C-alpha cells in the first residue's frame, strides 16, 4: 500500500519556523521528484516547491523563495520542508506529492501519482 504521511504542522507566530516531514512507503521513493503543495482556506491548491529525485536540484514558488527549503533523505524515504520567517498568508494545509513526469510544478492532484493526507500549518499571533 502506498502511503505519504505528513507531520510537523501546527500553530506558530508570524516570523517563526516549522519543519514539515513526509514519510513515504509502498513505492520507490528515489525514483520520484517530490513536491510540496498547499491549500489556504477558501483557495485552490498552490504548488510550493519540488526536489529532484537524485541530484537534489530544487525549485520553489516566488511566494516562498528565500524562506522555505525543501530537502529529502532517500535512505529514510522522507521529504522535508523547512519553513522560516512564516507569514499569516502561509496558513494552509500542506501536502506532499509524487508528481508524474513532466508535471513537477502542477498543483492539481491529477498531476501526481501519489498524494498525502496533509498537515495543517497556522501562522497567527
Amino acid at each position: 500500500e502506498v502511503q505519504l504521511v505528513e507531520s510537523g504542522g501546527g500553530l506558530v507566530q508570524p516570523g517563526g519556523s516549522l519543519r514539515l516531514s513526509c514519510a513515504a512507503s509502498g513505492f520507490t521513493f528515489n525514483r520520484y521528484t517530490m513536491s510540496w503543495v498547499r491549500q489556504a482556506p477558501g483557495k485552490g491548491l498552490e504548488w510550493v516547491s519540488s526536489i529532484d529525485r537524485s541530484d537534489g536540484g530544487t525549485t520553489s514558488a516566488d511566494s516562498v523563495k528565500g524562506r522555505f527549503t525543501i530537502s529529502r533523505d532517500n535512505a529514510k524515504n522522507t521529504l522535508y520542508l523547512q519553513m522560516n520567517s512564516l507569514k499569516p498568508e502561509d496558513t494552509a494545509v500542506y501536502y506532499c506529492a509524487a508528481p508524474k513526469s513532466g508535471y513537477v510544478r502542477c498543483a492539481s492532484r491529477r498531476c501526481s501519482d501519489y498524494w498525502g493526507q496533509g498537515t495543517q500549518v497556522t501562522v497567527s499571533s
Side-chain angles (χ1 to χ4, degrees):
E1 178 188 6
V2 171
Q3 285 192 312
L4 290 173
V5 180
E6 300 95 336
S7 61
L11 174 64
V12 63
Q13 292 186 340
S17 298
L18 280 175
R19 189 194 196 202
L20 306 183
S21 298
C22 172
S25 61
F27 68 101
T28 307
F29 181 73
N30 62 13
R31 290 186 180 177
Y32 277 87
T33 289
M34 294 296 294
S35 297
W36 287 98
V37 177
R38 67 185 180 184
Q39 186 167 27
K43 297 188 176 180
L45 292 166
E46 177 191 15
W47 169 76
V48 175
S49 190
S50 298
I51 184 167
D52 184 84
R53 61 183 181 177
S54 57
D55 68 8
T58 64
T59 181
S60 297
D62 287 345
S63 58
V64 305
K65 202 168 290 184
R67 299 188 299 121
F68 291 11
T69 302
I70 188 172
S71 62
R72 66 192 295 163
D73 185 336
N74 286 343
K76 296 182 178 180
N77 288 350
T78 303
L79 178 72
Y80 303 100
L81 187 67
Q82 178 66 44
M83 305 186 295
N84 299 328
S85 302
L86 282 159
K87 305 175 182 180
E89 51 263 44
D90 294 318
T91 294
V93 177
Y94 284 73
Y95 301 93
C96 67
K100 302 178 188 291
S101 178
Y103 290 89
V104 170
R105 295 192 178 205
C106 178
S108 170
R109 292 178 185 240
R110 293 175 295 178
C111 296
S112 293
D113 283 335
Y114 310 118
W115 192 271
Q117 87 290 345
T119 186
Q120 176 71 47
V121 172
T122 302
V123 185
S124 175
S125 54

